[in-house]
Amino acid sequence: MKKNTKEEIVDSAVLLFNTYGTSSVSTNHIAEESGVSIGNLYYYFKNKEEIIREILECMISDWDHIWVAPSNGDILDGLQTIIRQSFHLEWKYRFFYRELIALMRIDEQLQQRHQEIEKQRIEEQKKLIENLINSGVIRNLRSPSDIDSLLTISWLISNYWLSFLESDGQEITDEQVERGVQLILTVFKPYLAI
Amino acid sequence: MKKNTKEEIVDSAVLLFNTYGTSSVSTNHIAEESGVSIGNLYYYFKNKEEIIREILECMISDWDHIWVAPSNGDILDGLQTIIRQSFHLEWKYRFFYRELIALMRIDEQLQQRHQEIEKQRIEEQKKLIENLINSGVIRNLRSPSDIDSLLTISWLISNYWLSFLESDGQEITDEQVERGVQLILTVFKPYLAI
DNA sequence: GACAAATTAGAGTAATTACTCTATAAATGA
DNA sequence: TCATTTATAGAGTAATTACTCTAATTTGTC
């Protein structure tokens, strides 16, 4: 489990960002935390923004692993698993979700990359829902725009459930994560075949 | 419409925070933008955090006006109006919503105040829903926990709809606001008496 | 008008910031 | 082996930061 210098820097940055927020953490802090000299840090990263961009790439890679996982067995079960793992990733990189819009406003490159993969992800989710409709798990939807609405709502929940808990001052526990999963199912409940 | 110095500072702060984000805006910037000397700014505010706290108080006051408004006429219409106005307030103070969790982590005083009024607001919303149930607008809910779920979901949408649009790179227009209102109604649709 | 209190201006400061530069040390490979 | 690339350390710098201090001005009150 030997980490190289670059990984060491990224890991320390995530730790500090999660704890103190990006604006309170300087490159000097990151260097100190990771036990790497300032000079060496700047050998690997041009600036703080580039570190954050690298963290985004780590997130993307983590996400890919979740979606690649084959959902053998119950299709609804597979969906729940994906949602659950998504919540865990959001927690791992929580600083990013807390400050998302602010970060993207500062760094346009970050914005473009994030929006690019976000678009992909929505498409994937759309396909998954269509799958559920085709296999008869979901029915009784009145119009195609209803699908869009449902999709948007479940997206909102999966992306902001942890933020809501945090801003409400609640602890993030496994039970809370489970509540989030169930919340998404609540939205679909009226349209689920028993 | 003559503004006093304190208001001038607060207004400039909101403008700059919305445009550049709190971390990029210094007290010096705010002083310059508002045409007030640094010394004078510090006469009114101990530091940047205190300015943000004052902005929160402005928000709270604005919110109170929305909820005080008597919902004469259709109760469902009144609800929609409140949601619509909420979105407009969220946009007015958008920096606050963008950076909420980060801001609260830095300033515990801000966190406590925000969570205090947030709790109140959830209670108000709960009463409103109960009102809708009692007056027969909403029905067919299976259990009391269903009410809670519905409430949480509509809360999530009303709080994060604009954030979602922003992080998705979409413009905030009146039509988008209306979509947000309709989205919340979608959640209740299966339970609405026609 | 005279006095006190409230308000304003802006020069000044210590700390921190991001980032550069140069000088070594370690790894590589011909 | 030894020369070249890669990696590391850390002192140094210019800019910016939040905030203080003092001195001047305005305001209100009698």
Side-chain angles (χ1 to χ4, degrees):
Chain A
M1 202 68 85
K2 192 79 161 288
K3 278 185 280 189
N4 62 32
T5 306
K6 205 170 176 182
E7 287 171 340
E8 205 81 66
I9 294 169
V10 168
D11 287 356
S12 296
V14 171
L15 177 73
L16 293 176
F17 288 159
N18 279 339
T19 310
Y20 304 106
T22 54
S23 61
S24 304
V25 176
S26 69
T27 45
N28 299 23
H29 290 143
I30 298 170
E32 195 176 1
E33 172 70 28
S34 58
V36 166
S37 69
I38 313 152
N40 202 18
L41 184 145
Y42 275 94
Y43 174 76
Y44 286 102
F45 298 98
K46 217 183 77 200
N47 50 38
K48 204 165 112 179
E49 294 179 8
E50 209 171 72
I51 297 177
I52 296 175
R53 268 181 239 135
E54 177 65 25
I55 294 174
L56 174 59
E57 292 308 319
C58 293
M59 283 179 51
I60 294 173
S61 156
D62 279 357
W63 276 96
D64 285 343
H65 288 311
I66 288 182
W67 282 86
V68 148
S71 58
N72 45 11
D74 189 353
I75 192 168
L76 208 61
D77 256 22
L79 179 63
Q80 279 181 256
T81 304
I82 289 175
I83 297 170
R84 199 171 294 118
Q85 287 177 312
S86 296
F87 280 136
H88 280 118
L89 268 193
E90 284 168 32
W91 184 244
K92 181 176 175 188
Y93 300 103
R94 52 194 176 277
F95 86 91
F96 196 85
Y97 287 88
R98 288 173 184 157
E99 308 177 36
L100 180 60
I101 298 172
L103 290 174
M104 294 199 308
R105 297 196 121 246
I106 291 168
D107 182 0
E108 202 181 341
Q109 221 174 310
L110 189 83
Q111 179 180 28
Q112 280 176 0
R113 183 76 175 118
H114 178 262
Q115 286 175 357
E116 175 193 339
I117 59 127
E118 204 80 336
K119 207 166 281 178
Q120 281 178 28
R121 205 142 284 144
I122 290 180
E123 276 312 307
E124 282 164 353
Q125 206 155 319
K126 203 165 194 167
K127 270 183 203 137
L128 206 145
I129 299 285
E130 278 163 7
N131 226 319
L132 288 172
I133 293 172
N134 290 337
S135 62
V137 180
I138 293 179
R139 58 171 73 159
N140 291 332
L141 279 163
R142 295 167 209 190
S143 67
S145 77
D146 271 2
I147 301 176
D148 258 3
S149 294
L150 250 54
L151 194 63
T152 305
I153 292 169
S154 66
W155 180 267
L156 277 167
I157 299 172
S158 72
N159 274 275
Y160 295 105
W161 170 241
L162 295 188
S163 292
F164 162 72
L165 288 175
E166 276 208 277
S167 74
D168 199 43
Q170 299 191 51
E171 289 269 314
I172 311 295
T173 62
D174 280 345
E175 290 88 56
Q176 291 287 34
V177 168
E178 215 48 45
R179 265 187 70 204
V181 176
Q182 292 310 315
L183 215 52
I184 294 178
L185 291 185
T186 303
V187 180
F188 289 103
K189 204 185 267 177
Y191 309 101
L192 281 181
I194 305 118
Chain B
M1 201 68 85
K2 192 81 161 286
K3 278 185 282 190
N4 62 32
T5 307
K6 205 170 176 182
E7 286 170 342
E8 206 79 66
I9 294 169
V10 168
D11 288 356
S12 297
V14 171
L15 177 73
L16 293 176
F17 289 160
N18 278 340
T19 311
Y20 304 107
T22 52
S23 61
S24 305
V25 176
S26 69
T27 45
N28 298 25
H29 290 142
I30 298 170
E32 195 176 1
E33 172 70 28
S34 57
V36 167
S37 69
I38 314 153
N40 202 17
L41 183 145
Y42 276 93
Y43 174 76
Y44 286 101
F45 298 99
K46 218 183 76 199
N47 49 39
K48 203 165 111 177
E49 294 178 9
E50 208 170 74
I51 298 177
I52 295 175
R53 269 180 239 134
E54 177 65 26
I55 295 174
L56 174 58
E57 292 308 318
C58 293
M59 283 180 51
I60 293 173
S61 156
D62 279 357
W63 277 97
D64 284 343
H65 288 311
I66 288 182
W67 281 86
V68 147
S71 59
N72 45 10
D74 189 353
I75 192 169
L76 208 60
D77 257 21
L79 180 63
Q80 279 181 257
T81 305
I82 289 176
I83 297 170
R84 200 172 293 117
Q85 287 177 311
S86 296
F87 281 137
H88 280 118
L89 269 193
E90 284 168 31
W91 184 244
K92 181 176 174 187
Y93 301 103
R94 52 194 176 277
F95 85 91
F96 196 86
Y97 287 88
R98 287 172 184 158
E99 308 177 35
L100 181 60
I101 297 172
L103 289 174
M104 293 199 309
R105 297 196 121 247
I106 291 169
D107 181 0
E108 202 181 342
Q109 222 174 309
L110 189 83
Q111 179 180 29
Q112 279 176 1
R113 183 76 175 117
H114 177 262
Q115 286 176 358
E116 176 194 339
I117 60 128
E118 204 80 335
K119 208 166 279 178
Q120 281 178 29
R121 205 141 284 143
I122 289 180
E123 276 312 308
E124 283 164 352
Q125 206 155 317
K126 203 164 194 168
K127 269 182 203 139
L128 205 144
I129 299 284
E130 278 163 7
N131 226 320
L132 287 172
I133 293 172
N134 291 335
S135 62
V137 180
I138 292 179
R139 59 171 74 159
N140 290 331
L141 279 163
R142 297 169 207 189
S143 67
S145 77
D146 271 1
I147 301 176
D148 256 4
S149 294
L150 251 54
L151 195 63
T152 305
I153 292 169
S154 66
W155 180 267
L156 276 168
I157 300 173
S158 72
N159 274 275
Y160 296 105
W161 170 241
L162 296 189
S163 292
F164 163 72
L165 289 175
E166 276 208 276
S167 73
D168 198 43
Q170 297 191 53
E171 290 269 313
I172 311 295
T173 63
D174 280 344
E175 290 89 55
Q176 292 287 32
V177 168
E178 215 48 45
R179 265 187 71 204
V181 177
Q182 292 310 314
L183 216 50
I184 294 177
L185 292 185
T186 303
V187 181
F188 289 103
K189 205 186 268 180
Y191 310 101
L192 282 181
I194 306 119

